[in-house]
Amino acid sequence: MNKKTIKDIDIKGKRVFIRVDFNVPIKNGAITDDTRIRGALPTIRYAIDEGARVILASHLGRPLKDKKKAEEKGTPYDPAKYRLKPVAEKLAEYLGKAVGFADDCVGAEVEAEVAGLADGDVLLLENLRLHADEEKNGEDFCRQLAALADVYVNDAFGTAHRAHASTEGITKFVQPAVAGLLMEKELNFLGKALNDPERPFVAILGGAKVSDKIPVIESLIERKVDKLLIGGAMAYTFFKANGYTVGKSLVEDEMMPKALEIEEKAKAAGVELILPTDHQVVDSYDPLHSRKTIPVEFTNTGLIGLDIGTETIEIFKRALEGAKTIVWNGPMGMFEEKPFDEGTVAIARAVADATDAGAVSIVGGGDSVAAVNQSGLDDKISHISTGGGATLEFLAGDVLPGVAALNDK
Ligand code: AMP
C-alpha cells in the first residue's frame, strides 16, 4: 500500500470529511443488512478518539435515476428509500454516542452545522446522489463539499472505481487526501493477491456475463494464476464456443471467439483453466421442478443449465486443496433461486476449508459474499471485499480514480 492513511496525518481538532460506503439495503425505513456500517466503524472510531470533527458522506442507491424511471413508467417512487437518516440512528447505536444528521450534503445550513461541531463530534450528511453533480463530478459541487473539510479521507473502496465528486473531484480542493482503514485493508489484501501472491494461486470466477469479466480473466492469466475455475452461466459461452450443445442456457454468442482466445492464452501461460464437467439442468424456467444433474456433453437443445453439478463441486474442491491464495468473484449458478444456490454454497464452504488449511482467501461480489454470509462462513474467509465492480477493476490491473487521487506515502 503506497498511499497515506488517516494514521499518517494529524487530525486533532480538524474537520475530517470521510467518504464512507453506507449504501445499505433499507426496507420500510429499517436497515436489513448493516455490514457496510460495521465496516466503516474502525475509521470512524479512530477519528473520534483522535479528537477530529467527523463529517461522514455516502451515496444510497440511485435516487435521481430511479425517480426518472418511475416517472417514465408511471410507477411509484418512494423518496424515503434514499434517505440516510436510519443510518445515522444505527451508527449512533454502534458508536454509543449521538450522531448528527444534516438534511443535505452541501450549502449554508450544512456549513453552519459543521461549524458547530466540537472535537469528537460526528455528523452524517444526506445522500450525495440526491445531487446530479455527484456522479457528474461537477466542479462547483466538489468545491462545496471541500468547503466543509480540512482533511479528506476515502474509506469507500466499493465506489473508488468511479471518478465522482466525493471520490475524486473533491481532492482537487481539499488536502491532505488519505485512505481510511477499510480502504487500506482492501488495498493491502487485493494488492498482495495481484502483485505478490503466495502460490498456488487459485481464482474462481462465476456469474452471468463473460463480457464483464474478460479484463479480470486476462489480467489473472497474465499474472499467471495457477488455476482458474470458471462456473456460473459464464461457462456456457466457453462450452458453445467449443461446439457443445448448451440448450437454452445463458450464452453471449459474440463472446465465443474471445472465450477461445482466453483458452489459448491460458494454455500458453501454463494456467490450468477448469470448466464444469456436469451441471444442474431444468427443461423450462417455470416450473423448475424438472431439475436433474447431467454431464455437460449430454445437454440437449431443450435444457437450461442453472448450477454446477456434484462432480464439478468435487473437482473445484480438489483444485482448491493446498492453495495459498484464493480469489473468488461471482456465483456458480442462479444463486437467488433455491436449490440452484447449492453449487455456490458448496464453493463457499470449500473456500472456507482451504482458508482453514492455510490459504489467504478474498471473496468479492454481491452473490458470492451473500453465499458466504448465509452459510455463516464469513469469519472463516480472510478478507470479504466490499467492492463488486471496484474489486474486479482492481484485479484487472486498472488504476481506480478514487485511489489514484489519494496522497502517496
Ligand atoms: P454477475 O452479475 O455477472 O456476477 O452475475 C450474477 C448473476 O448470475 C446472478 O444473478 C445469478 O443468478 C446469475 N447466474 C449465474 N449462473 C447462472 C446460470 N447458470 N443461469 C442463469 N443465471 C445465472
Side-chain angles (χ1 to χ4, degrees), residues 23-134:
N23 184 29
V24 294
I26 296 184
K27 239 190 199 152
N28 302 325
I31 298 165
T32 53
D33 180 352
D34 65 7
T35 311
R36 288 182 171 154
I37 300 176
R38 286 185 279 116
L41 290 174
T43 302
I44 299 171
R45 286 196 177 116
Y46 176 81
I48 294 170
D49 291 347
E50 290 291 305
R53 303 170 180 202
V54 183
I55 302 150
L56 303 172
S58 174
H59 74 283
L60 177 59
R62 307 178 155 228
L64 300 182
K65 283 180 188 154
D66 289 356
K67 191 170 178 204
K68 194 163 161 232
K69 235 191 260 164
E71 279 165 4
E72 281 165 8
K73 290 191 180 158
T75 50
Y77 170 79
D78 176 13
K81 261 176 62 185
Y82 307 96
R83 300 279 177 196
L84 279 164
K85 188 90 203 288
V87 174
E89 286 156 15
K90 181 55 91 184
L91 188 59
E93 277 173 38
Y94 278 119
L95 295 174
K97 66 180 282 159
V99 171
F101 183 71
D103 284 329
D104 201 346
C105 59
V106 289
E109 269 180 46
V110 182
E111 282 173 30
E113 284 177 73
V114 168
L117 292 176
D119 294 357
D121 280 354
V122 182
L123 176 70
L124 173 63
L125 308 182
E126 182 55 285
N127 191 355
L128 292 156
R129 286 199 191 158
L130 289 168
H131 292 263
D133 272 343
E134 161 63 2

Side-chain angles (χ1 to χ4, degrees), residues 134-368:
E134 161 63 2
E135 287 181 81
K136 287 189 194 143
N137 203 355
E139 182 174 324
D140 225 38
F141 185 66
C142 295
R143 282 182 193 277
Q144 283 182 292
L145 290 174
L148 303 174
D150 303 311
V151 169
Y152 171 80
V153 178
N154 192 345
D155 214 20
F157 177 76
T159 43
H161 59 316
R162 307 271 181 242
H164 291 168
S166 68
T167 61
E168 194 264 349
I170 184 174
T171 64
K172 294 180 188 137
F173 308 105
V174 55
Q175 287 287 330
V178 299
L181 304 177
L182 180 60
M183 174 72 90
E184 179 189 29
K185 188 168 171 243
E186 290 276 7
L187 296 177
N188 278 341
F189 269 102
L190 292 168
K192 170 94 173 122
L194 193 67
N195 300 316
D196 181 28
E198 300 286 326
R199 292 176 184 276
F201 177 10
V202 183
I204 314 162
L205 294 175
K209 286 186 162 178
V210 198
S211 48
D212 288 350
K213 278 148 194 157
I214 296 286
V216 189
I217 296 176
E218 292 192 324
S219 152
L220 290 169
I221 291 174
E222 265 166 42
R223 283 160 216 272
K224 300 199 192 305
V225 61
D226 297 286
K227 293 174 194 172
L228 180 56
L229 318 184
I230 293 185
M234 263 172 76
Y236 295 106
T237 301
F238 287 84
F239 291 139
K240 190 168 175 189
N242 282 291
Y244 287 82
T245 300
V246 296
K248 290 183 273 180
S249 313
L250 283 185
V251 168
E252 287 174 278
D253 282 326
E254 66 289 1
M255 284 294 140
M256 292 199 298
K258 197 76 198 174
L260 294 177
E261 191 189 313
I262 284 170
E263 287 183 333
E264 283 306 312
K265 279 188 181 164
K267 211 178 194 180
V271 172
E272 201 182 333
L273 179 67
I274 308 179
L275 288 163
T277 57
D278 65 342
H279 59 166
Q280 293 198 25
V281 294
V282 295
D283 53 23
S284 73
Y285 277 105
D286 181 35
L288 293 174
H289 305 124
S290 54
R291 175 170 78 120
K292 58 184 180 221
T293 299
I294 58 165
V296 170
E297 63 269 29
F298 288 7
T299 314
N300 66 40
T301 50
L303 295 172
I304 313 164
L306 293 179
D307 197 4
I308 56 175
T310 41
E311 182 180 84
T312 303
I313 291 173
E314 287 310 311
I315 292 171
F316 282 12
K317 265 191 201 164
R318 245 178 283 134
L320 288 166
E321 276 169 20
K324 284 281 175 277
T325 304
I326 300 168
V327 169
W328 176 26
N329 188 299
M332 297 291 103
M334 201 171 68
F335 171 76
E336 305 86 336
E337 201 71 55
K338 280 189 175 37
F340 302 101
D341 60 338
E342 283 173 4
T344 306
V345 168
I347 295 308
R349 172 143 301 283
V351 173
D353 289 346
T355 313
D356 269 345
V360 170
S361 55
I362 303 171
V363 179
D367 300 305
S368 346

